[in-house]
Amino acid sequence: MKGGSGGNSAVQYTMKKLLITGFQPFGGETVNPALELVKQLAGKSINGYEVIAREIPVVRYEALDAVRAAVDEISPDAIIIVGQAGGRPDITVERIGINIDDFRIPDNKGNQPVDEPVAKDGPIAYWATLPIKKMVANMKAAGVSASVSNSAGTYVCNHLLYGVLHLLATAGKAHIPAGFVHIPYLPEQMAVRKGLESQYPTMGVETLVKGFTAMIEALD
Ligand code: PCA
């Protein structure tokens, strides 16, 4: 800290802020690994970022409203949205969000759009603006299985990924790196899937925390 007598002498060392969001349970599940994970990361300091977690409803438009409110409140320096992708074996960092809502099951308020745009006048797609390759490399180096995914699906997760990137692009905030990470089921979600272990690989919360810590180290 710089010296000086009085006035504006104290240098402020403010930490950068990472907004990390986790979805609520959906599709008949009682937990969502994304929410369990972000609860563990909340309040941690990683790579110069203060991690600020928020819970997001699995509801068309309301999910985006929740992130918009958090962005306005927090002014984050980076945004990572996390969702469950049951059946995927590893942590998958999404490359792209597409302008389509085509829900295979209703969301938590019964919305089930088919082949509708997320944003009527929006472009076809947005690239995620996180350093996706470096994030994957960091996780692998930490011994956690990870890969890039080229589709976040057409359900609420893609809706939110596209929606957030469109929001940032149209609000003059495209400089804020943002993107989406899908994670596998938790081991406890297999209680209702006995005998289906080979179809549904799982990952425990400690491994997820280790992976995400390495992932956040990849941010500038
Ligand atoms: N996964 C869903 C929506 C909420 C979540 O956690 C998805 O992949 O679209």
Side-chain angles (χ1 to χ4, degrees):
M1 194 162 80
K2 276 184 190 156
S5 49
N8 222 355
S9 61
V11 176
Q12 297 283 318
Y13 291 99
T14 48
M15 290 192 80
K16 290 182 282 186
K17 287 180 275 188
L18 169 65
L19 170 61
I20 191 158
T21 71
F23 277 105
Q24 292 172 345
F26 70 101
E29 301 288 331
T30 53
V31 296
N32 189 323
L35 191 53
E36 301 310 309
L37 168 66
V38 304
K39 281 184 200 160
Q40 296 293 317
L41 294 170
K44 286 191 192 267
S45 298
I46 305 169
N47 187 28
Y49 285 86
E50 177 193 356
V51 181
I52 302 170
R54 287 290 183 273
E55 182 173 333
I56 304 296
V58 184
V59 180
R60 191 179 191 217
Y61 298 125
E62 287 185 21
L64 183 56
D65 290 342
V67 173
R68 186 188 292 110
V71 169
D72 289 346
E73 174 204 334
I74 295 161
S75 295
D77 298 284
I79 304 171
I80 299 177
I81 308 158
V82 190
Q84 161 189 299
R88 288 195 189 173
D90 59 350
I91 297 177
T92 48
V93 183
E94 299 295 345
R95 190 195 298 269
I96 192 166
I98 58 178
N99 192 8
I100 198 80
D101 281 337
D102 191 22
F103 291 7
R104 128 193 96 78
I105 54 171
D107 70 15
N108 283 355
K109 281 206 173 160
N111 303 301
Q112 193 168 13
V114 173
D115 294 344
E116 291 180 25
V118 178
K120 277 198 184 66
D121 302 316
I124 291 171
Y126 286 98
W127 302 119
T129 51
L130 293 170
I132 60 170
K133 291 281 175 75
K134 194 173 169 201
M135 288 161 71
V136 167
N138 272 25
M139 286 191 276
K140 285 184 170 172
V144 178
S145 303
S147 58
V148 168
S149 162
N150 294 307
S151 175
T154 59
Y155 189 50
V156 182
C157 288
N158 172 75
H159 172 86
L160 186 59
L161 171 58
Y162 180 93
V164 167
L165 293 167
H166 186 56
L167 167 74
L168 295 174
T170 53
K173 295 179 180 170
H175 58 278
I176 303 173
F180 196 103
V181 181
H182 265 123
I183 59 177
Y185 282 140
L186 296 170
E188 51 264 43
Q189 291 177 279
M190 291 310 292
V192 294
R193 295 184 178 81
K194 285 266 175 277
L196 300 175
E197 286 74 12
S198 61
Q199 280 177 53
Y200 298 108
T202 62
M203 197 176 269
V205 170
E206 309 79 59
T207 308
L208 290 167
V209 169
K210 191 172 160 197
F212 272 68
T213 303
M215 177 199 295
I216 294 165
E217 297 284 351
L219 300 180
D220 286 338

